[in-house]
Amino acid sequence: MKRLYFLIPNVESATEIVKALQGLGVAKEGIHVIVKDDDPLQDKLALTQLLEPGIFDRTDVLHALTRGAIIGGLAGLIAGFLIVWFPPEEFTLGIGTIVVFTVFGAIFGAWSSSLIGISVPNPLFAKLERAVEAGGIMVLVDIQKEKEAGLLDYMRLNHPEITIHGAHLPRSAASDE
């Protein structure tokens, strides 16, 4: 699944876009609207669910976790090969050592990087959130990757007033992959 972010300038466009998304087969649960906390538009956009952005939206934790797992796994793989090629005296080490070092490196890298990534704000979301505070409307759409191109073509053709951004969803949110 992929999450697309639409920044929409007014409530009329937002309402029309949400109806169009539902007409294109996007599930109601996959359409989320973010408006200012004290905005009366919350009632007008009742045909969607208002979304409180989660940790994966607000922070860089997902990307940090992925990078950490890859870098940690590679470091563990290299360390595993080195310890097998140059073992301590009187030890016989095999392929299992390489696997253990690689897995430990990936887990440790993911854990340590996610601790850093959770404190780093997502630059795209921060930019869009500032636009929402200035009166814009953010619509988040969770869509299957194979339907993304058609939806983007439709939006560009019929709604030139919006700004489109995209991000991959975390595995836990992508239930049909």
Side-chain angles (χ1 to χ4, degrees):
M1 300 256 333
K2 184 149 185 178
R3 174 163 281 170
L4 299 174
Y5 298 80
F6 298 108
L7 187 57
I8 303 169
N10 56 51
V11 69
E12 293 80 21
S13 291
T15 305
E16 185 179 326
I17 288 169
V18 167
K19 287 179 184 176
L21 288 168
Q22 290 176 339
L24 290 169
V26 178
K28 185 176 180 179
E29 298 78 30
I31 304 170
H32 313 284
V33 177
I34 299 175
V35 295
K36 270 183 3 185
D37 288 337
D38 59 347
D39 201 322
L41 298 178
Q42 291 180 356
D43 296 331
K44 291 183 182 178
L45 295 169
L47 46 116
T48 65
Q49 61 185 78
L50 293 172
L51 178 71
E52 194 60 39
I55 197 154
F56 291 110
D57 294 318
R58 291 188 180 277
T59 66
D60 196 36
V61 70
L62 185 62
H63 294 108
L65 187 133
T66 305
R67 283 189 305 265
I70 291 169
I71 293 169
L74 288 174
L77 181 68
I78 292 168
F81 272 116
L82 289 174
I83 196 97
V84 168
W85 282 340
F86 307 107
E89 288 185 27
E90 300 184 20
F91 279 99
T92 305
L93 302 172
I95 194 82
T97 305
I98 297 170
V99 172
V100 168
F101 271 74
T102 303
V103 170
F104 176 77
I107 291 170
F108 183 77
W111 172 74
S112 59
S113 293
S114 65
L115 291 177
I116 295 167
I118 204 163
S119 64
V120 176
N122 179 339
L124 170 63
F125 194 81
K127 174 182 154 186
L128 294 174
E129 204 167 33
R130 285 192 298 275
V132 167
E133 287 301 317
I137 300 166
M138 190 183 337
V139 175
L140 284 67
V141 180
D142 300 336
I143 189 164
Q144 296 170 343
K145 289 181 184 179
E146 54 272 2
K147 293 183 179 180
E148 176 188 1
L151 175 63
L152 291 177
D153 289 343
Y154 171 83
M155 288 301 188
R156 287 185 186 112
L157 183 64
N158 295 303
H159 298 284
E161 75 276 10
I162 66 173
T163 307
I164 303 171
H165 302 277
H168 290 287
L169 281 173
R171 283 271 182 216
S172 60
S175 59
D176 60 336
E177 279 192 333

